[in-house]
Amino acid sequence: MSSNNLVNADVLSIVFQNQITEEKLKELEEKYPADIVYNMKDDEQFKEARKIRTERNKLTEAINKRRIEVGKDVKSKGDDLIARVEKIYSVIVKPFEAEDAARKKEADRIAAEREAFLNSQRDEIQAIRNFVPDCANKSSGVIADCIEAVSTIEVDHFDPELIHEALKVKDDVTTALYNLREDALKRERLAEQQKEADQRDALSRISNTPMALFNSSSDEIKAAIAALDATVINEDTYGDISAAKQAVHNATSQLNQLLDMAKAREAAQPPTTKAANDDQPELAADEDTSESFDIKYERFTGWPSHASRTQSHELETVCCKLEEAEKHIEFLEEMLCQQAA
């Protein structure tokens, strides 16, 4: 007989002895054999089956009620047994569990501290990355200072988990900053060239003032002289202050000459009456009152290249002076030709 059958027999004999026994089960099996087929169409058998069902329900209800009662007792007994077992083992298990909890808490603390440390180093790496956007559109000098700052950043203190990333970011940022510095130098060279061109244009406008007022009225020339006198000379606008002052002086001198010519021209306007014309002596038809001027000035053609002028401030100054001198010569040629006419 198996252990399960022994247990079942014990359960029947002890727990359910007032409800049913093994002998009673055998009697029921003999009374209602499984190989008999009942005809429920027969009224007598149908009525008998109803009574048998009532008998079964009463028996199963009694067994179930007893099972519930026993279950409560078993649970209570089981709880007592568990409490006793835990008490016996508690001398070892309780300190173990306390230490286990402490170790887990310490491990969590160490993990949190490490994560905070790694996050702080990630912030350092991000700070290195930020050099690139911070240097956008900055001057070459500012970018050069940032390159120097990045070069002094030490990465040996980074955690092994992050040190390779830190090294790569430092190299990438340095390369990006050198590219930004090269772009800034190009912009600054172009800006400087444009500024020098604007300064030359400003000087040229002063030098060309007399030429633009040739044959103008005395009032227009006086206004131009007053404007030149009011000109504010500064390095930002004209570059070479002494050259600008000299250009103003030369232009003013030429305008004063034009002013004298304009005044003489205006004073010598012919009278509007015929009588005034009659007072003038008649000239012979073949008399030539004009003088002949043979003006020959060969323009300078051996100008240095723009690149050479850009690279040498002294060469650029000399070329500007020569350009100004040629404009003055051109102005004097026009004046002489006008007088000859």
Side-chain angles (χ1 to χ4, degrees):
M1 183 179 292
S2 66
S3 60
N4 286 335
N5 290 333
L6 289 174
V7 171
N8 293 337
D10 291 340
V11 170
L12 285 174
S13 62
I14 298 174
V15 177
F16 299 106
Q17 60 183 333
N18 295 327
Q19 286 75 35
I20 194 168
T21 62
E22 186 67 27
E23 290 76 9
K24 181 65 176 178
L25 285 173
K26 290 180 178 179
E27 291 177 2
L28 290 173
E29 289 174 349
E30 292 176 357
K31 186 177 180 179
Y32 305 112
D35 56 350
I36 297 179
V37 178
Y38 296 92
N39 182 13
M40 292 296 117
K41 298 294 183 179
D42 182 75
D43 291 340
E44 292 299 326
Q45 292 189 30
F46 181 80
K47 291 178 181 179
E48 184 66 19
R50 184 188 299 274
K51 294 177 181 179
I52 294 171
R53 186 185 68 174
T54 301
E55 177 185 322
R56 183 209 65 178
N57 289 344
K58 289 180 180 180
L59 181 58
T60 56
E61 288 174 1
I63 294 172
N64 185 58
K65 181 178 179 181
R66 178 59 178 164
R67 182 183 65 181
I68 293 173
E69 292 174 352
V70 173
K72 292 179 180 178
D73 294 340
V74 171
K75 180 180 183 306
S76 176
K77 183 62 177 178
D79 291 342
D80 291 341
L81 291 173
I82 290 172
R84 290 182 63 186
V85 170
E86 287 183 344
K87 182 177 180 181
I88 294 170
Y89 282 98
S90 65
V91 66
I92 297 174
V93 174
K94 277 191 175 181
F96 164 78
E97 289 179 342
E99 178 62 20
D100 186 49
R103 291 188 182 190
K104 289 179 179 179
K105 184 177 180 180
E106 179 64 12
D108 292 340
R109 184 191 66 79
I110 294 173
E113 286 186 355
R114 173 166 175 75
E115 187 61 24
F117 171 72
L118 292 177
N119 286 337
S120 68
Q121 292 202 331
R122 292 186 183 104
D123 291 340
E124 291 184 47
I125 294 174
Q126 184 59 44
I128 299 174
R129 288 192 181 97
N130 290 340
F131 274 98
V132 176
D134 290 346
C135 286
N137 298 319
K138 294 296 191 300
S139 67
S140 60
V142 171
I143 298 174
D145 292 339
C146 290
I147 293 174
E148 178 65 23
V150 172
S151 69
T152 61
I153 295 176
E154 298 291 341
V155 296
D156 295 341
H157 67 285
F158 278 92
D159 189 86
E161 184 177 330
L162 298 174
I163 189 168
H164 296 294
E165 180 183 357
L167 287 168
K168 185 177 186 304
V169 168
K170 181 178 178 180
D171 291 342
D172 292 345
V173 167
T174 300
T175 300
L177 289 178
Y178 272 111
N179 292 335
L180 287 176
R181 180 172 177 269
E182 185 62 28
D183 293 340
L185 287 172
K186 291 178 182 178
R187 290 197 309 270
E188 291 166 2
R189 283 195 293 268
L190 290 174
E192 184 63 26
Q193 291 171 3
Q194 184 60 49
K195 183 178 181 180
E196 291 175 356
D198 293 342
Q199 291 171 347
R200 288 195 298 271
D201 291 342
L203 286 173
S204 297
R205 284 193 294 271
I206 294 175
S207 300
N208 292 336
T209 300
M211 189 181 305
L213 292 172
F214 197 76
N215 281 333
S216 298
S217 67
S218 59
D219 290 337
E220 292 174 328
I221 297 173
K222 288 178 183 179
I225 293 174
L228 284 178
D229 290 338
T231 300
V232 178
I233 304 299
N234 57 66
E235 184 175 359
D236 187 61
T237 304
Y238 299 100
D240 189 341
I241 293 179
S242 61
K245 290 181 177 180
Q246 185 63 43
V248 170
H249 174 75
N250 294 339
T252 302
S253 298
Q254 295 170 10
L255 287 175
N256 283 322
Q257 295 175 16
L258 289 177
L259 179 61
D260 292 340
M261 294 172 59
K263 288 179 178 179
R265 187 171 61 251
E266 292 168 359
Q269 290 294 329
T272 58
T273 64
K274 186 178 183 303
N277 291 331
D278 292 341
D279 293 338
Q280 300 295 328
E282 294 185 3
L283 298 176
D286 59 351
E287 185 177 354
D288 186 4
T289 59
S290 64
E291 298 182 13
S292 176
F293 291 90
D294 185 14
I295 302 173
K296 293 181 180 179
Y297 172 70
E298 184 177 351
R299 296 290 188 268
F300 183 68
T301 59
W303 295 101
S305 66
H306 177 73
S308 299
R309 292 174 62 170
T310 302
Q311 294 174 359
S312 173
H313 176 71
E314 293 78 7
L315 180 60
E316 176 66 15
T317 301
V318 171
C319 290
C320 289
K321 295 288 187 181
L322 289 175
E323 289 172 349
E324 183 179 352
E326 286 212 328
K327 290 176 181 178
H328 290 166
I329 293 172
E330 182 179 353
F331 171 72
L332 292 175
E333 284 180 338
E334 292 187 6
M335 288 180 62
L336 292 173
C337 289
Q338 183 68 25
Q339 290 176 353

